[in-house]
Amino acid sequence: MPSIWTTEIIFRPAGPLTFRQMPSGILHIMSYPFMPPTTMSGFLKRLLYIAEGADWPGYGEDWFGNGPGKEFTLTLGSEYRAMGAYPGRESWTIHKTRRHGPKNFKHTEFSQLIRNSHQENYQLHHWDYLFCDRLRGWVAAKEEAPLEKLKKLENFGGKAGKEGYLVVDKVRAPQRLELMEGDFRPLGLVTPPVRPASGAFFNLYGHQWDDAYQWSNGEKGGVVGFRQVSAWWLAEKAAGSYWAVEEGVGFQADMPDVFMRVESSPLFQLP
């Protein structure tokens, strides 16, 4: 019977979070009420670097240098499928506020008690902040061994998304999930062609992996683009193939491959 492995990860926020919704407006910085799969993938990859004693990696066309690699995207390897991390259904809120302060941090007028002019250029943003006490997420793989490596991430943390910091509180032991068919309560996101009976609808993006992507250090394999994905969260009921955490509860079978499409090795293949 077809099966995959998943591990559950519990994240603890250090304060409010912003996972910017894309595509986005200029003035209103809207936040997803969860950590998207693509954001989770890059965040965990950075934590793996520092957990192994390296420096927190930055951004660039190619982090290894100015070689053949272009439009560099740091993600977990193609053996992993990050599936996002989510607050409890009744334990989160989005706080909307004005972003205070001037655009230019080298201001002078803004902090003076008596102002000679009114020329400071103030921010016009409205900003979303996600408040929650924890995020519960999952990573999937074909085999158990890659997921065992994530155990070392416990108690490590860093900047996540556009605003905020997360600490890995717990990485649970990998669990083998078998493929089942029928009605189920989805964990995480539901993507077309599955149509849940209910849910909050979002536009997101998924990674497109290419085994031939060339790094300047000689390695191959990486993300070469993004695809727009529509998805539902907080779905109560769906029908179809699913990876069963227990009977009637699990992950839509093809959802992990939607957010990291690896043509050479999908986790789920239609019969």
Side-chain angles (χ1 to χ4, degrees), residues 54-217:
D55 293 331
W56 182 264
Y59 298 89
E61 287 186 350
D62 181 338
W63 186 58
F64 294 103
N66 296 320
K70 300 295 181 185
E71 299 178 356
F72 164 70
T73 302
L74 187 65
T75 64
L76 291 171
S78 60
E79 68 271 32
Y80 296 101
R81 300 291 189 277
M83 295 192 286
Y86 310 87
R89 287 176 174 246
E90 306 297 332
S91 59
W92 64 275
T93 188
I94 293 287
H95 175 65
K96 299 180 184 292
T97 185
R98 238 180 221 288
R99 187 79 164 184
H100 298 290
K103 291 181 180 179
N104 184 358
F105 290 110
K106 295 181 179 179
H107 63 85
T108 56
E109 288 280 334
F110 182 73
S111 58
Q112 293 178 2
L113 294 178
I114 300 178
R115 302 180 185 179
N116 297 319
S117 67
H118 300 279
Q119 296 178 356
E120 291 294 344
N121 192 1
Y122 292 92
Q123 295 190 33
L124 300 176
H125 295 306
H126 284 82
W127 208 280
D128 282 8
Y129 291 101
L130 168 64
F131 284 84
C132 60
D133 61 349
R134 71 171 190 165
L135 296 167
R136 179 189 180 204
W138 299 271
V139 180
K142 282 186 176 181
E143 306 293 340
E144 180 180 9
L147 298 177
E148 292 282 5
K149 298 178 182 178
L150 301 180
K151 184 68 176 177
K152 68 179 69 172
L153 299 183
E154 284 189 353
N155 298 319
F156 282 93
K159 184 179 183 297
K162 187 168 182 64
E163 293 277 349
Y165 292 82
L166 290 174
V167 174
V168 176
D169 183 58
K170 185 71 176 178
V171 179
R172 304 198 187 281
Q175 178 182 5
R176 185 172 179 266
L177 309 184
E178 293 185 346
L179 188 65
M180 298 187 71
E181 188 80 22
D183 293 339
F184 67 100
R185 180 171 64 83
L187 297 175
L189 299 172
V190 178
T191 60
V194 175
R195 291 288 189 272
S198 62
F201 184 83
F202 295 93
N203 287 308
L204 300 105
Y205 286 86
H207 287 135
Q208 181 70 42
W209 182 273
D210 184 356
D211 290 331
Y213 181 93
Q214 180 68 57
W215 296 87
S216 62
N217 71 341

